Amino acid sequence: NFPLLEIGTITEESRINLLRYSITRLDDYEILIFVSKNSVKYGAAIIEENWHKLPIDSEVIAIGPGTAKMASEIFGCEVIHPGDGSISEDLVTLPSLINVEGKRIAIFRGTEGREFLADSLKARGAKVDYFEVYERNSTKKSCHELAEVINKNHINVLTITSGDSLEILNKLFLESSNTSSNFFHMPMVVPSARIARLAAEFGFEQVKLAQGANTESMISALCEIAS
């Protein structure tokens, strides 16, 4: 395990104050969307601190089964999620998100995430606001540390679960120019066609597309490579 993104609470005071104010108006939103387990974890903390509970009438949606299970356990409510897939492209196909004209939707996420989900819902006439409840920063680890982990542990397959992580990995490999060509030959398992295309653009030669970002799908793809 080599974390490429560091996750933590929001630190900028102006962001914290805006978030606290926004949470007090949570019952203005008909739909609440959580795009990751971290959005549930950090979102629940800020809600508990500034608001007594989730609005009873709000529909709660999660990006995948793991996030939905976590949200359901923490918030004690039914949580909807796509039956197949765990990415934004799957999320926007949910019946609950097709006819959203005039609805107010809150998206719980980290800082600087993808715009696809919000743009798609706005195009359908929804009013969308972000609740950015955690920060995502690039790892402070060096390309030499990454190369040492790969070589020392005889790593021969890579797994990536987000485009942001892939971009950081690519940057680290390029900085490790003396051995980077070997890294780009290694098989890589990715959770979506979008990330697969990005990996191919970066020059990774063996990209395996899993059925989703959940653990079971990634392990299944790894088993296929091993066989």
Side-chain angles (χ1 to χ4, degrees):
N1 187 19
F2 191 90
L4 295 168
L5 286 169
E6 295 180 354
I7 307 296
T9 55
I10 298 292
T11 55
E12 189 180 329
E13 189 171 351
S14 61
R15 281 182 177 271
I16 295 171
N17 291 335
L18 176 61
L19 190 54
R20 284 174 175 163
Y21 170 72
S22 299
I23 289 292
T24 65
R25 297 167 52 249
L26 203 56
D27 55 1
D28 290 346
Y29 297 89
E30 288 100 325
I31 298 174
L32 311 178
I33 299 176
F34 294 86
V35 300
S36 66
K37 288 182 179 179
N38 281 318
S39 71
V40 175
K41 173 185 173 182
Y42 290 96
I46 196 78
I47 289 170
E48 184 178 353
E49 183 183 332
N50 297 278
W51 188 250
H52 55 290
K53 59 183 177 181
L54 279 186
I56 294 172
D57 296 330
S58 296
E59 190 167 27
V60 182
I61 297 175
I63 198 162
T67 303
K69 183 175 184 292
M70 184 178 184
S72 181
E73 290 173 352
I74 289 177
F75 298 125
C77 65
E78 181 185 0
V79 180
I80 299 168
H81 66 86
D84 298 310
S86 304
I87 58 175
S88 296
E89 284 79 357
D90 302 314
L91 201 58
V92 297
T93 66
L94 284 172
S96 299
L97 296 179
I98 299 298
N99 300 312
V100 291
E101 186 168 357
K103 290 189 177 182
R104 292 180 63 91
I105 300 176
I107 297 177
F108 286 77
R109 69 171 197 169
T111 52
E112 300 178 1
R114 288 180 69 201
E115 302 299 321
F116 174 83
L117 177 58
D119 288 347
S120 298
L121 296 173
K122 288 175 183 175
R124 295 173 184 176
K127 172 71 171 68
V128 181
D129 292 318
Y130 285 129
F131 284 65
E132 295 185 331
V133 293
Y134 63 93
E135 291 183 344
R136 300 185 303 173
N137 297 302
S138 298
T139 180
K140 295 181 176 64
K141 295 181 181 293
S142 69
C143 57
H144 304 294
E145 289 176 272
L146 175 57
E148 184 177 347
V149 167
I150 290 174
N151 295 325
K152 183 177 179 181
N153 295 284
H154 307 291
I155 303 297
N156 55 16
V157 180
L158 305 170
T159 62
I160 283 287
T161 56
S162 75
D164 291 334
S165 295
L166 177 57
E167 289 183 10
I168 295 167
L169 180 69
N170 182 59
K171 181 172 178 290
L172 289 175
F173 280 170
L174 292 178
E175 289 174 358
S176 178
S177 55
N178 57 329
T179 57
S180 65
S181 59
N182 296 329
F183 297 146
F184 286 96
H185 293 315
M186 295 172 65
M188 172 184 286
V189 177
V190 300
S192 73
R194 179 183 66 87
I195 299 175
R197 287 192 297 271
L198 185 61
E201 288 173 12
F202 287 153
F204 291 96
E205 297 173 4
Q206 301 183 64
V207 182
K208 172 70 175 177
L209 180 59
Q211 293 300 308
N214 59 78
T215 303
E216 293 79 7
S217 296
M218 298 296 281
I219 289 176
S220 178
L222 286 169
C223 289
E224 288 180 24
I225 290 175
S227 63

